[in-house]
Amino acid sequence: MAVAEPGKPLEVAWCGDARAYLLPETGSQLERLTTDHNVRQVMIDMELEPGPYARNRVTSYLGDTSPNPPLGSVRAPNNGRLVLASDGAYEPLEDAQVPIAEYLMGRPPHRAARALVSAAIAHANDRADNATVLIADLVSRLSESAQWSCF
């Protein structure tokens, strides 16, 4: 989830195996804003080698009723291209070593979302998962418009 309030920094909250990325207005270097909530990330944080299915075991989820559910939040710049993606959208491209940024540049948000999802499906092979992407072109706080697209 991403929330933008006029005059305040953009807040991005997540859990499970969803990610948020930011592509700055200038440049092609995609920045990952979130940290995965899965066993693979726990192993990496402990400087251990994760097993082949460690990314499939999530460590947080919507609906967790524990007193302190492990949710993440981060503040992000209010400009650039924000990408919210499910694991079915980013993992097939990561596994194939295909840069996500190349699908985000030079296209309006709805075309970029469609291109990214189509590429993820094409690279998923027999391990296809839901591939969902939301892309928002954020503009500076002085302007009141933003373009959103989801595929």
Side-chain angles (χ1 to χ4, degrees), residues 81-95:
R81 180 162 274 190
L82 178 68
V83 179
L84 305 177
S86 69
D87 62 331
Y90 64 78
E91 283 183 349
L93 298 174
E94 269 189 1
D95 290 349

Side-chain angles (χ1 to χ4, degrees), residues 5-41:
E5 215 179 314
K8 295 188 178 178
L10 174 69
E11 293 280 338
V12 177
W14 78 97
C15 69
D17 50 9
R19 285 186 183 171
Y21 299 90
L22 183 73
L23 183 65
E25 288 177 315
T26 57
S28 61
Q29 188 66 27
L30 189 65
E31 177 187 353
R32 192 165 118 194
L33 301 175
T34 58
T35 303
D36 294 343
H37 290 162
N38 58 29
V39 172
R40 173 179 59 187
Q41 188 62 52

Side-chain angles (χ1 to χ4, degrees), residues 5 10 16 20-21 27 38 53-54 58 63 70 90 94 96 101 103 116 121 134 145 150:
E5 215 179 314
L10 174 69
Y21 299 90
N38 58 29
Y53 300 103
V58 296
Y90 64 78
E94 269 189 1
Y103 297 98
L116 184 54
I121 292 168
L134 179 116
S145 64
C150 181

